[in-house]
Amino acid sequence: MLAYGRGELCALNLETGWPHKVSGVIVDPIAHTHPERTAVKFEKYAKSELPLQYSRASSYMDIDYLHHTNNVAYIRMALDAKSTAFWEAHPLISLETHYVKQSHEGDRLSVEMDDRGYYNIRNEAGEIVVQGCAAHN
């Protein structure tokens, strides 16, 4: 977990709960290697029409303290566009999301996603609220 305060970047020590200057944190590069991943290039495609998967209204549990739909709710909606069987057959390797507009409780949102993992979430007016790519194998 990273925090920014007083103009200095800090890392939180999860064992002690104390913040430390990032410049003083030693990270073992071998412990943090990742398997090779296929690069997925994402480009905004505001006018793209993708296959509609489902639509639903933004509910009370989707709303943050500023009365907007929470970013995590959008991610859940996008991932719910495909079945558990789909995600088990095509494990998610990365998720890129661009938040374009706000939505509020009760707004009807439509989730579009193709089999490559590109997705749009649109409001009732057809405007893109969120777009992204759920890259998978």
Side-chain angles (χ1 to χ4, degrees), residues 50-56 74 77-81 109-113 119-122:
L50 298 173
L52 177 66
Q53 302 298 321
Y54 74 99
S55 65
R56 74 170 181 86
Y74 290 126
M77 288 180 207
L79 295 177
D80 283 346
L109 300 172
S110 298
V111 181
E112 308 166 344
M113 183 182 279
Y119 65 89
N120 292 326
I121 299 177
R122 296 180 187 266

Side-chain angles (χ1 to χ4, degrees), residues 4-98:
Y4 187 79
R6 293 187 184 190
E8 190 159 344
L9 190 61
C10 298
L12 183 65
N13 182 325
L14 296 177
E15 291 176 2
T16 66
W18 288 93
H20 297 278
K21 293 180 184 179
V22 170
S23 59
V25 176
I26 299 171
V27 178
D28 181 4
I30 295 172
H32 296 285
T33 58
H34 298 282
E36 239 181 83
R37 296 181 181 167
T38 306
V40 176
K41 185 176 180 188
F42 175 77
E43 296 176 9
K44 290 187 177 186
Y45 50 97
K47 296 185 180 183
S48 290
E49 294 294 327
L50 298 173
L52 177 66
Q53 302 298 321
Y54 74 99
S55 65
R56 74 170 181 86
S58 187
S59 69
Y60 169 77
M61 293 302 295
D62 297 329
I63 303 304
D64 62 20
Y65 69 96
L66 294 174
H67 304 284
H68 302 116
T69 304
N70 187 298
N71 294 350
V72 174
Y74 290 126
I75 301 299
R76 285 187 185 124
M77 288 180 207
L79 295 177
D80 283 346
K82 297 292 183 182
S83 68
T84 302
F86 177 87
W87 292 118
E88 286 175 351
H90 308 283
L92 188 67
I93 57 173
S94 69
L95 184 71
E96 182 173 344
T97 302
H98 297 266

Side-chain angles (χ1 to χ4, degrees), residues 103-120:
S103 68
H104 303 89
E105 183 176 4
D107 288 354
R108 188 124 196 110
L109 300 172
S110 298
V111 181
E112 308 166 344
M113 183 182 279
D114 65 11
D115 286 338
R116 297 172 301 161
Y118 290 102
Y119 65 89
N120 292 326

